Structure formats: structure tokens, C-alpha cells
């Protein structure tokens, strides 16, 4: 009976998407909101029911299966559409449906006056359904369907306000960059299929564990890493994420917190035995994460758009997850994925509430002094900022980040030092945002109020951002390891804790970052502006990656296309087509429909043939 809940959890938002798309423009806004948010809320209730049943009576095999249908069967290879629930997909299911519901409930207030609200909720519910397919799939080919589904939904949602050219360009950029990674991932899946003759995840991982090492080459791991890096906006395929802020704020919250950018983390965690069999791939994952978290944190320090600050923050925090994955701290990566979903959704939704009330302005230097005018939003944003910075003891982000630092220390002290530097920069840039936006002199007078449909999700996520880390704590504080115990059948025993001074370092560094932010951006009477030195300008543009790709790839490709408009091949093709058309016209004149002319041509042909035959 419980197995039937798996497809039903996916079907609820999928059915809602179909209804909303078919009835777009003919349904009241309130009905669109109820169908959109209600369907994901129903999925969240079913997910809670399934989770309670799964945890109360764990299955002997540790996995709940539901086969839907056989997709294809050829000689030596078969694949099927099937769902499976294990501890990892259980955690992801609760995050996607729970946080997703709060985001859609918030969107009911944020988007209530948009004329295309039905299309918006249709795309959002389809997004959630695609992510659930990705999470539940027990076969990599059906997982790839969900993988591509979240990609096309992100394109539709980033470019939702398509009358603005900049939004369309941002959506196209996200689509193209992530397609590069998707192509790499597809090549990796095809390589696995040819080498292992299966894409069933359980069978594939069994082959990795028991089969010869050369059966699954390192090439497949690196191709899958390319797909994960693009989807999770990691170096060198991270350039699409800051521009994705062109979409409505609920879209940003959904993409950054509960769905798309965590897909790469989930993929590597799901296939962790494959990556563990290739040590160089593990090192590459850790290195990609470390570089991304430092570069993104540096860019966030100098941004002036509040949503772009949070976008670079997402890149940096996903970098922490990649660092944990590459260090073998699998539980730490999933723990930070969960806490990040709480505080990043909270930060985006609080930022959206601010943007609405300051007349859609997003420049933090045009805000200031907003705390007295919107205390609820300020409290929510402050809770999210504290969790993102990892302030000790009080926030969920502290416990998950501390677990990552412990894992990085055991893997390589240099990785730990880089992660600690990133934690310091994180505290600086997020409290820079807090101090500039909510304290000091007010530059824009806010209007309106934050309605209940927006305030309730903010309150729920604020509680989770503060208390959500209590599921996993260091032994020095309290021997609580609920998440590690849940995930241990998949990942084994969690990494042992290091010396106690590591905990002190991880606690004091974020506090030092807050102190630095206060010294630099505390309330002052004089007007403040963004730094304009060369390094700041370079960091603000994402360290020049867009310029590099534009120079090396985009411009040569456009130039080649222009040259190809009138090249020799085109001229030869045009000449061949013209000759064919001329011959066709000449031959068509012979088809007059007059019998006597046909007889004349026959007689003439006969005379010619006789002449050729009797010629000496």
C-alpha cells in the first residue's frame, strides 16, 4: 500500500500542472493558487505519511520499490520506469515537497496580481513533479527524464516575464549552459550502459562494488561530474545562475533551495560508490567545490543587487556540499543540503518581500533603515542570514557547516583551511547585506504590508533555519546523530570528529566575519557606495568567466555562422538547386497532355535510334 504513494506524490503536482496549463487564462487567480499550492501541499502530506511509515517499520532491504512499466528491452539491455524510496530519497522527498509547498504558498501572495498566474503555477508544479521523478527514479535513464524536466522548467520560469528581452536572454543562457552539462551526463550514461549493460542504479552499484575496476572507467565519473557541475552551478559551468535572478523571486527560491541546484549533489551522493572507485574523481569533486565556494563568496562581497548576492551565496554553499562529497563526508553534504534549503528559501522569500515593498528596487544601496518599517521581514531575513553565516549554537547552518569542516579536515587540512576562509567571507557578505538594507538611513520609503500568505512561510522557515540543525550535533555539544543514523545504511558510519579546537575555530570565524562586516558597513550618516577598484569590478562580473566564454566561444561561433551564410558550399548547393529547377521546368513542357505531340516525340526518337543503329 505504501508503494502506491510514490507515484501518487508525483502525480498530484503533475495533474495540477496539466489542469493549469489547459485552463490558463480562463481560471480565477485564487483558483490557480489553490490548485498550485494545494497540489504540492497534498504531496507534502502524503510524503509525511510515507516517511512516518518508512521510519516506523524499516524494510529488510531498506528500500521501497514500485515498478510502473518496462520502457525498452533490447538484446543485452533493458530499462524500466520504476520508483524507489530509501533513506536518501526520503530526505530529498521531504525537502522538495515541504519547502516547495511553503514557496508556492508564498507565491500566492507574491504573484496574486500577475495576469499569467495560471501559467506560473503550472510551470512551478511541473518543476516540483520533475524533481520528484529525479529523486524517486531507480533507473538512471528515468532519472535523466526528471533531470531534463527540471531543466526545461527552469527555462520557462527564468524567462517567465518574456516581454523583457533581458529575461529571455537569461533563460536562454541557463538553458544552453546546463545543456552542455546534460550532454556530458548523457555520454556518461551511455558509457555506463555499454560497459555494465544496465542503468538500474542498484545493479550498477553492485557491479561497482563486486566487479572488476576497469569495467566502469573514470571517464564515466568525470562525465557525470560535468553534468552535476552544470546543474548545480559549479566552476566552470556556473555562469548561468546569477542571471537566473531574472525570474520572479519564488522561482529563485525554488531553484536555489529545494530543486534544481541540489540535483547535482543528489546525483553524486546517489552514485557515491562509483566516485569512490575513482579516487581522482573524488579529488576533482572536492577541488571544484572549494574553488567555487571561494570565487562565489568573493563575488557576493561586492554585489549590489540583493538577489545576486543570494545567487552567488547559493553557488558558494553548493560548493561546500561538493567539498563534502569529494571529502567522503556524505552525511555532511546531505545535512547541509537540508539546512541550506531552509535558510536559502527563507532569505530569497524575505528579499522578495523587501523588493515588493520598495517598489521593485533591488539595489541594496537604495534601501536602508527598513527594519522598523517591516519587523517581521527583518526578523526572518536576520534568522536566515545567521543560519547562512553559521553563527554557533543558534542556527542550523552552524551544525551542518561544522560537520563539513570536520570531514574536510580528515580529507586534507588545506581543504579545511579553504572552507574556513569561505565561512569567514560568508559571514561578511551576508551581514553586509543585513546592515545596509535594514539599518542606517532610509533611502526608499516602503509601502504596503506583507500579507499572511507570505508571512506564514517566512515564520515556518525561520524556525527551521534556527532549529533544523538539532537533528545532528557534535558530540562535544550533544550526542545527537539522527540524520547520520538514518543515512548510515547507504553511506556507512559518519566521519569521526576531530580535535576540539576545530569546533572552536568553526565557531569563532563566523563571529569574526560579523564583526568585520559591522566595522565596514555599520550605520553611518554619509551615503555609501559600492567599491569600484579593479578587483571589485572583476569580482562583480563573476571573475570574468562570461567575458572569457564570450571571447573564446560565443563570438567565434557567431562569426562562423555569419561567414557560413554565403560560403562556397552554400553557392554550390544553390547552383545545384537552380539547375534542378531549370531542368524540371524544361521537362515539364514536354508533358502537354496532347497525344499527337507524344506520338511525334516517339517518332522522332525512333528515327534517331534507327540512324544511330545503321551508322557505319
Amino acid at each position: 500500500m505504501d508503494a502506491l504513494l510514490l507515484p501518487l506524490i508525483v502525480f498530484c503536482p503533475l495533474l495540477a500542472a496539466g489542469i493549469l496549463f489547459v485552463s490558463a487564462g480562463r481560471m480565477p487567480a485564487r483558483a490557480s493558487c489553490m490548485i498550485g499550492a494545494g497540489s504540492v501541499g497534498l504531496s507534502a502530506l502524503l510524503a509525511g505519511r510515507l516517511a512516518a511509515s518508512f521510519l516506523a517499520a524499516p524494510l529488510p532491504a531498506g528500500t521501497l520499490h514500485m515498478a510502473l512499466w518496462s520502457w525498452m528491452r533490447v538484446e543485452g539491455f533493458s530499462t524500466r520506469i520504476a520508483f524507489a524510496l530509501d533513506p536518501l530519497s526520503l530526505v530529498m522527498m521531504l525537502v522538495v515537497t515541504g519547502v516547495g509547498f511553503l514557496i508556492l504558498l508564498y507565491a500566492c501572495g507574491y504573484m496574486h496580481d500577475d495576469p499569467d498566474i495560471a501559467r506560473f503555477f503550472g510551470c512551478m508544479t511541473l518543476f516540483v513533479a520533475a524533481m520528484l521523478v529525479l529523486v524517486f527514479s531507480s533507473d538512471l535513464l528515468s532519472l535523466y527524464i526528471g533531470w531534463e524536466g527540471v531543466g526545461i522548467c527552469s527555462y520557462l520560469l527564468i524567462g517567465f516575464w518574456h516581454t523583457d528581452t533581458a529575461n529571455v536572454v537569461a533563460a536562454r543562457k541557463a538553458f544552453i549552459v546546463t545543456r552542455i552539462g546534460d550532454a556530458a551526463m548523457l555520454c556518461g550514461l551511455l558509457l555506463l550502459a555499454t560497459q555494465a549493460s544496465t542503468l538500474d542504479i542498484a545493479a550498477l552499484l553492485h557491479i561497482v562494488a563486486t566487479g572488476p575496476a576497469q569495467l566502469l572507467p573514470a571517464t564515466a565519473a568525470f562525465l557525470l561530474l560535468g553534468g552535476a557541475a552544470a546543474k548545480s552551478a559549479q566552476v566552470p559551468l556556473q555562469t548561468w545562475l546569477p542571471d537566473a535572478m531574472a525570474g520572479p523571486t519564488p522561482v529563485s527560491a525554488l531553484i536555489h533551495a529545494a530543486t534544481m541546484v541540489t540535483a547535482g549533489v543528489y546525483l553524486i551522493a546517489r552514485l557515491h560508490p562509483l566516485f569512490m572507485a575513482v579516487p581522482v574523481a573524488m579529488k576533482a569533486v572536492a577541488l571544484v567545490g572549494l574553488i567555487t565556494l571561494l570565487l562565489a563568496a568573493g563575488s557576493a562581497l561586492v554585489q549590489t543587487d540583493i538577489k545576486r548576492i543570494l545567487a552567488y551565496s547559493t553557488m558558494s554553499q553548493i560548493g561546500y556540499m561538493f567539498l563534502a562529497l569529494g571529502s567522503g563526508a556524505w552525511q555532511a553534504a546531505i545535512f547541509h543540503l537540508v539546512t541550506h534549503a531552509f535558510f536559502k528559501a527563507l532569505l530569497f522569500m524575505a528579499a522578495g518581500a523587501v523588493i515588493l515593498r520598495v517598489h521593485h528596487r533591488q539595489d541594496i544601496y537604495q534601501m536602508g533603515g527598513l527594519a522598523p518599517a517591516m519587523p517581521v521581514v527583518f526578523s526572518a531575513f536576520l534568522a536566515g542570514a545567521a543560519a547562512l553565516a553559521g553563527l554557533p549554537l543558534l542556527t542550523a547552518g552552524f551544525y551542518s557547516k561544522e560537520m563539513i569542516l570536520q570531514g574536510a579536515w580528515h580529507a586534507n587540512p588545506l581543504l579545511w583551511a579553504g572552507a574556513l576562509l569561505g565561512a569567514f567571507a560568508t559571514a561578511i557578505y551576508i551581514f553586509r547585506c543585513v546592515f545596509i538594507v535594514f539599518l542606517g538611513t532610509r533611502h526608499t520609503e516602503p509601502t504596503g504590508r506583507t500579507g499572511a500568505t507570505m508571512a506564514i512561510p517566512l515564520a515556518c522557515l525561520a524556525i527551521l533555519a534556527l532549529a533544523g540543525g538539532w537533528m545532528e550535533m557534535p558530540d562535544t555539544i550533544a550526542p545527537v546523530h539522527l540524520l547520520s543514523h538514518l543515512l548510515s545504511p547507504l553511506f556507512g558510519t559518519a566521519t569521526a570528529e576531530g580535535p576540539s579546537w576545530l569546533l572552536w575555530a568553526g565557531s569563532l570565524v563566523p563571529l569574526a566575519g560579523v564583526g568585520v562586516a559591522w566595522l565596514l558597513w555599520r550605520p553611518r550618516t554619509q551615503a555609501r557606495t559600492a567599491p569600484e577598484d579593479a578587483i571589485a569590478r572583476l569580482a562583480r562580473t563573476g571573475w570574468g568567466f562570461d567575458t572569457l566564454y564570450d571571447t573564446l566561444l560565443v563570438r567565434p561561433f557567431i562569426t562562423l555562422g555569419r561567414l557560413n551564410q554565403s560560403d562556397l558550399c552554400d553557392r554550390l548547393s544553390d547552383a545545384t538547386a537552380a539547375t534542378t529547377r531549370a531542368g524540371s521546368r524544361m521537362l515539364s513542357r514536354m508533358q502537354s497532355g496532347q497525344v499527337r505531340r507524344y506520338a511525334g516525340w516517339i517518332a522522332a526518337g525512333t528515327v534517331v535510334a534507327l540512324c544511330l543503329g545503321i551508322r557505319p
Side-chain angles (χ1 to χ4, degrees):
M1 180 63 181
D2 289 339
L4 293 176
L5 294 178
L6 288 172
L8 191 58
I9 291 171
V10 178
F11 182 71
C12 289
L14 187 62
L15 176 63
I19 295 173
L20 290 164
F21 283 137
V22 170
S23 62
R26 297 183 297 274
M27 182 182 294
R30 184 180 295 273
S32 298
C33 293
M34 291 179 63
I35 292 175
S39 64
V40 179
L42 181 57
S43 288
L45 290 175
L46 295 175
R49 164 67 177 82
L50 183 59
S53 176
F54 185 89
L55 295 174
L59 298 174
T63 305
L64 182 66
H65 284 280
M66 178 64 180
L68 299 179
W69 66 84
S70 179
W71 188 1
M72 63 180 75
R73 188 182 300 274
V74 296
E75 184 178 358
F77 179 78
S78 63
T79 185
R80 61 180 182 170
I81 302 294
F83 290 161
L85 186 73
D86 63 1
L88 178 58
S89 55
L90 173 69
V91 172
M92 292 296 296
M93 171 189 70
L94 294 175
V95 170
V96 172
T97 57
V99 178
F101 167 67
L102 293 175
I103 293 172
L104 265 72
L105 179 60
Y106 169 91
C108 291
Y110 191 93
M111 302 290 293
H112 72 279
D113 58 349
D114 194 288
D116 288 330
I117 191 171
R119 177 167 62 89
F120 172 81
F121 277 104
C123 293
M124 292 284 276
T125 50
L126 185 61
F127 204 151
V128 173
M131 188 65 188
L132 288 171
V133 170
L134 188 158
V135 167
F136 286 150
S137 293
S138 64
D139 187 280
L140 286 177
L141 201 55
S142 58
L143 181 149
Y144 191 70
I145 296 176
W147 188 274
E148 290 297 322
V150 296
I152 188 62
C153 289
S154 69
Y155 170 77
L156 296 173
L157 287 167
I158 294 169
F160 177 75
W161 288 319
H162 54 81
T163 54
D164 189 339
T165 304
N167 297 342
V168 177
V169 172
R172 184 177 62 195
K173 180 179 180 180
F175 188 80
I176 292 173
V177 173
T178 54
R179 290 294 78 71
I180 295 172
D182 293 352
M185 179 180 173
L186 181 59
C187 291
L189 296 183
L190 294 175
L191 183 59
L192 290 175
T194 56
Q195 294 293 322
S197 300
T198 183
L199 285 177
D200 181 80
I201 295 175
L204 192 64
L205 298 184
H206 178 73
I207 293 173
V208 172
T210 60
Q214 66 271 20
L215 184 62
L216 299 170
T219 306
F222 277 98
L223 289 171
L224 294 175
L225 173 58
K231 195 68 76 177
S232 294
Q234 299 293 285
V235 170
L237 298 173
Q238 82 286 8
T239 57
W240 66 271
L241 192 61
D243 293 336
M245 297 302 98
T249 299
V251 173
S252 303
L254 190 64
I255 289 177
H256 289 245
T259 54
M260 183 169 170
V261 296
T262 61
V265 178
Y266 172 78
L267 176 68
I268 296 176
R270 172 60 68 196
L271 300 178
H272 68 280
L274 171 63
F275 285 86
M276 290 178 66
V278 186
V280 66
M282 290 284 288
K283 293 179 181 178
V285 173
L287 187 60
V288 166
L290 179 62
I291 294 173
T292 304
L293 77 89
L294 292 176
L295 290 180
S299 291
L301 278 169
V302 295
Q303 298 299 317
T304 59
D305 185 312
I306 188 171
K307 288 180 66 176
R308 289 181 75 89
I309 293 172
L310 299 179
Y312 279 107
S313 169
T314 297
M315 291 166 52
S316 183
Q317 297 307 303
I318 299 295
Y320 271 105
M321 298 175 207
F322 269 66
L323 175 62
L325 294 171
S327 301
W330 311 103
Q331 290 96 331
I334 301 305
F335 185 27
H336 197 58
L337 185 154
V338 174
T339 60
H340 177 262
F342 298 154
F343 62 71
K344 189 50 61 67
L346 174 62
L347 286 169
F348 267 110
M349 291 156 65
V354 171
I355 292 168
L356 275 184
R357 294 183 61 179
V358 295
H359 319 294
H360 296 279
R361 292 175 178 167
Q362 297 183 196
D363 190 333
I364 59 174
Y365 289 103
Q366 295 179 359
M367 300 176 187
L370 297 178
M374 45 183 77
V376 173
V377 176
F378 169 61
S379 300
F381 196 95
L382 184 61
L388 172 59
L391 297 189
L393 302 180
L394 302 174
T395 65
F398 165 73
Y399 296 104
S400 59
K401 199 169 291 185
E402 180 60 34
M403 196 173 180
I404 292 176
L405 289 171
Q406 295 279 350
W409 170 263
H410 288 287
N412 190 322
L414 292 178
L415 295 177
W416 171 83
L420 199 64
L421 177 60
F424 179 66
T426 300
I428 294 176
Y429 71 68
I430 193 59
F431 274 90
R432 163 184 177 258
C433 186
V434 171
F435 297 148
I436 293 175
V437 171
F438 293 100
L439 304 182
T441 304
R442 186 177 301 172
H443 301 291
T444 301
E445 194 65 32
T447 59
R449 56 184 296 272
T450 303
T453 54
M454 297 173 65
I456 291 174
L458 289 175
C460 294
L461 287 170
I463 294 172
L464 292 172
L466 296 176
W470 295 348
M471 68 181 79
E472 190 76 28
M473 295 185 183
D475 288 334
T476 307
I477 298 174
V480 178
H481 304 287
L482 299 179
L483 187 65
S484 295
H485 178 72
L486 174 65
L487 297 175
S488 59
L490 288 177
F491 301 127
T493 305
T495 305
E497 295 181 18
S500 59
W501 64 266
L502 290 177
L503 181 62
W504 282 101
S507 302
L508 295 176
V509 163
L511 294 175
V514 176
V516 170
W518 175 258
L519 291 175
L520 295 176
W521 293 287
R522 66 183 183 272
R524 293 187 177 95
T525 55
Q526 66 270 28
R528 289 171 291 192
T529 58
E532 289 299 335
D533 57 88
I535 296 179
R537 287 194 297 270
L538 181 63
R540 192 174 297 119
T541 59
W543 303 103
F545 277 91
D546 280 319
T547 303
L548 177 64
Y549 294 156
D550 187 61
T551 302
L552 296 181
L553 300 174
V554 178
R555 291 181 183 175
F557 186 82
I558 293 175
T559 302
L560 182 62
R562 288 173 178 169
L563 293 175
N564 195 47
Q565 289 178 349
S566 58
D567 63 3
L568 180 60
C569 294
D570 282 342
R571 292 177 181 177
L572 291 175
S573 299
D574 292 341
T576 302
T579 303
T580 303
R581 286 194 298 268
S584 175
R585 285 194 297 269
M586 183 183 68
L587 292 175
S588 66
R589 294 173 183 172
M590 300 174 60
Q591 305 300 318
S592 63
Q594 297 179 1
V595 177
R596 62 178 180 273
R597 290 193 177 185
Y598 295 164
W601 283 109
I602 293 172
T606 303
V607 170
V608 172
L610 289 174
C611 291
L612 293 174
I614 64 177
R615 186 180 64 180

